[in-house]
Amino acid sequence: MRPFHIADIDVAVRYLLSVPQADWSATAHQIVKRADLADRFRKRLARAHPEWGTGTLATAIPARVGRAYPAHCDGTYLAALAVLINALQSHRFR
């Protein structure tokens, strides 16, 4: 997976907010896995993966799926952020 930036994290958290909370963990792990696989694809074939992009968190999220736009960083946003951080740590340090 390519290095991630705060904008990638925000996009991924907003995506998590658009799915049921019970699915957050599985969805977060799926996003991270897709980003990693897309980066490997990009490195091997010198082009973006057709569905999962270039290996960033933001491009691993399906563009056709909606994203929640919270007015501010509330408790629900922070809970989704914690789930995403956990998925990132699990992937990076396995």
Side-chain angles (χ1 to χ4, degrees):
M1 180 172 58
R2 295 177 88 165
F4 50 88
H5 302 280
I6 194 71
D8 293 297
I9 292 170
D10 182 58
V11 168
V13 169
R14 288 188 286 118
Y15 177 67
L16 290 180
L17 293 172
S18 73
V19 301
Q21 189 170 0
D23 298 334
W24 283 0
S25 182
T27 302
H29 285 279
Q30 184 180 50
I31 292 167
V32 173
K33 183 176 180 178
R34 285 179 176 179
D36 184 56
L37 292 173
D39 189 37
R40 292 171 195 249
F41 181 94
R42 178 189 62 85
K43 287 176 182 175
R44 179 172 289 163
L45 301 176
R47 61 186 171 97
H49 187 279
E51 291 183 47
W52 304 331
T54 59
T56 67
L57 286 176
T59 62
I61 296 168
R64 65 187 174 278
V65 178
R67 297 179 188 138
Y69 289 91
H72 59 282
C73 188
D74 61 8
T76 306
Y77 183 95
L78 292 174
L81 176 62
V83 170
L84 178 64
I85 296 299
N86 184 32
L88 289 167
Q89 287 180 322
S90 294
H91 179 77
R92 290 274 190 188
F93 304 111
R94 58 184 162 157

